[in-house]
Coordinates of all heavy atoms in Angstrom, one line a residue:
I95 N -5.4 -19.3 41.7 CA -4.7 -20.5 42.2 C -5.5 -21.1 43.2 O -6.3 -20.5 44.0 CB -3.4 -20.1 42.7 CG1 -2.4 -19.6 41.7 CG2 -2.6 -21.3 43.4 CD1 -1.3 -18.9 42.1
N114 N 2.4 -29.2 42.5 CA 2.8 -27.9 42.9 C 1.5 -26.9 43.1 O 0.8 -26.8 42.0 CB 3.7 -27.4 41.8 CG 4.1 -25.9 42.1 OD1 3.6 -25.2 43.1 ND2 5.1 -25.4 41.5
K115 N 1.2 -26.5 44.3 CA 0.0 -25.8 44.5 C -0.1 -24.6 43.5 O -1.1 -24.2 43.1 CB 0.1 -25.2 45.9 CG -1.1 -24.5 46.2 CD -1.1 -23.8 47.6 CE -2.2 -22.9 47.8 NZ -2.0 -21.5 48.1
Q116 N 1.1 -24.0 43.1 CA 1.1 -22.8 42.0 C 0.7 -23.2 40.7 O 0.5 -22.3 39.8 CB 2.5 -22.3 42.2 CG 2.9 -21.6 43.5 CD 2.0 -20.4 43.8 OE1 1.8 -19.5 43.0 NE2 1.4 -20.4 45.0
E117 N 0.4 -24.6 40.4 CA 0.1 -25.0 39.2 C -1.3 -25.6 39.2 O -1.7 -26.3 38.2 CB 1.2 -26.1 38.6 CG 2.6 -25.5 38.4 CD 3.7 -26.6 38.2 OE1 3.3 -27.7 38.3 OE2 4.8 -26.1 37.8
I118 N -2.0 -25.5 40.2 CA -3.5 -26.0 40.3 C -4.3 -24.8 40.3 O -4.2 -23.9 41.2 CB -3.6 -27.0 41.5 CG1 -2.7 -28.1 41.4 CG2 -5.0 -27.4 41.4 CD1 -2.7 -29.0 42.6
F119 N -5.3 -24.7 39.4 CA -6.1 -23.5 39.2 C -7.6 -23.9 39.3 O -8.0 -24.8 38.8 CB -5.8 -22.9 37.9 CG -4.4 -22.4 37.7 CD1 -3.4 -23.3 37.0 CD2 -4.0 -21.2 38.1 CE1 -2.2 -22.8 36.9 CE2 -2.6 -20.8 38.0 CZ -1.6 -21.6 37.4
I137 N -2.3 -27.3 35.6 CA -1.8 -26.7 34.3 C -0.4 -26.2 34.7 O 0.0 -25.1 34.9 CB -2.6 -25.5 33.9 CG1 -4.1 -25.9 33.8 CG2 -2.1 -25.1 32.5 CD1 -5.1 -24.8 33.5
P138 N 0.6 -27.1 34.4 CA 2.0 -26.8 34.7 C 2.5 -25.8 33.6 O 3.4 -24.9 33.8 CB 2.8 -28.1 34.8 CG 1.8 -29.1 34.9 CD 0.5 -28.5 34.4
R139 N 2.3 -26.2 32.3 CA 2.9 -25.5 31.3 C 1.9 -25.6 30.0 O 1.3 -26.6 29.8 CB 4.3 -26.1 30.8 CG 5.0 -25.5 29.7 CD 6.2 -26.1 29.4 NE 7.1 -26.2 30.5 CZ 8.0 -25.1 30.9 NH1 8.1 -24.1 30.0 NH2 8.7 -25.2 32.0
I140 N 1.7 -24.4 29.3 CA 0.9 -24.6 28.2 C 1.9 -24.3 26.9 O 3.0 -23.6 27.0 CB -0.2 -23.5 28.1 CG1 0.3 -22.1 28.3 CG2 -1.3 -23.9 29.0 CD1 -0.8 -21.1 28.2
Q151 N 4.6 -21.5 27.7 CA 4.6 -20.7 28.8 C 4.4 -21.4 30.1 O 3.4 -22.2 30.4 CB 3.3 -19.7 28.8 CG 3.2 -18.7 30.0 CD 4.3 -17.8 30.2 OE1 4.8 -17.3 29.2 NE2 4.8 -17.8 31.3
P152 N 5.4 -21.4 31.1 CA 5.1 -22.1 32.4 C 3.9 -21.3 33.1 O 3.9 -20.0 33.0 CB 6.3 -21.8 33.1 CG 7.4 -21.3 32.1 CD 6.6 -20.7 31.0
M153 N 3.1 -22.1 33.8 CA 2.0 -21.4 34.4 C 2.1 -21.4 35.9 O 1.0 -20.9 36.5 CB 0.8 -22.2 34.0 CG 0.3 -22.1 32.5 SD -0.2 -20.6 32.2 CE -1.8 -20.4 33.1
S154 N 3.0 -21.8 36.5 CA 3.2 -21.7 37.9 C 3.0 -20.4 38.5 O 3.6 -19.3 38.0 CB 4.6 -22.1 38.3 OG 4.7 -22.1 39.7
G155 N 1.8 -20.1 39.2 CA 1.5 -18.9 39.6 C 0.9 -18.0 38.6 O 0.5 -16.9 38.8
N156 N 0.7 -18.5 37.4 CA 0.0 -17.8 36.2 C 0.6 -16.4 36.0 O 0.0 -15.4 36.1 CB -1.5 -17.6 36.5 CG -2.3 -17.3 35.3 OD1 -1.8 -17.2 34.1 ND2 -3.6 -16.9 35.5
P157 N 1.9 -16.6 35.6 CA 2.7 -15.2 35.4 C 2.2 -14.5 34.4 O 2.3 -13.2 34.3 CB 4.1 -15.7 35.1 CG 3.8 -17.1 34.5 CD 2.7 -17.6 35.2
L158 N 1.5 -14.9 33.3 CA 0.8 -14.2 32.2 C -0.4 -13.6 32.6 O -1.0 -12.8 31.9 CB 0.6 -15.0 31.0 CG 1.7 -15.3 30.1 CD1 1.3 -16.0 28.9 CD2 2.4 -14.0 29.6

Side-chain angles (χ1 to χ4, degrees):
I95 296 169
N114 176 349
K115 179 181 177 242
Q116 296 294 308
E117 296 174 346
I118 303 175
F119 300 93
I137 310 174
R139 176 178 305 269
I140 54 178
Q151 177 62 51
M153 289 295 291
S154 183
N156 194 4
L158 278 182

